[in-house]
Amino acid sequence: MVRKNLIPYSVYLPAEYHERLRVDAKERKASSIVREAVIMILDGGDVYKSAYNKGISDAAEVVYACKEAQMVAVNRRDIGAILAEQINLLEMP
């Protein structure tokens, strides 16, 4: 998932979970934990498909964020973005 496609959304959590997320927020993980959980739930009950799509999304994000891949351009687009788009096409509908 490319960060520029993310839209902020707020939720109300029980205090216990809010505190646990605050701990993870210090390590910059809270948003991704909530985002991944919501995506897996909304993608449906198929755990395999959700996990597979999560793996594809993570792989695309790693490629997109690679500084070396951002340094190489093809037709004025960095190769990281091009490859990330191609990887995302592997997601299951």
Side-chain angles (χ1 to χ4, degrees):
M1 174 181 317
V2 179
R3 287 194 181 276
K4 65 183 174 184
N5 294 336
L6 301 179
I7 299 169
Y9 186 84
S10 62
V11 303
Y12 292 95
L13 295 171
E16 165 192 350
Y17 293 101
H18 181 263
E19 286 305 313
R20 289 167 64 182
L21 274 176
R22 283 182 51 160
V23 171
D24 286 331
K26 291 178 184 173
E27 298 176 21
R28 311 282 290 160
K29 294 192 287 185
S31 291
S32 64
I33 289 171
V34 173
R35 179 174 46 251
E36 291 164 9
V38 169
I39 289 170
M40 288 181 78
I41 291 167
L42 293 178
D43 274 352
D46 188 348
V47 176
Y48 173 80
K49 181 175 95 172
S50 293
Y52 173 85
N53 286 343
K54 167 82 173 79
I56 293 296
S57 178
D58 287 351
E61 195 168 317
V62 167
V63 170
Y64 182 80
C66 177
K67 291 182 182 182
E68 292 82 5
Q70 293 174 3
M71 297 170 93
V72 178
V74 176
N75 293 331
R76 292 189 240 167
R77 292 186 61 216
D78 70 73
I79 199 154
I82 295 168
L83 292 174
E85 285 178 14
Q86 294 300 309
I87 291 169
N88 279 322
L89 293 175
L90 298 172
E91 285 189 1
M92 293 181 185

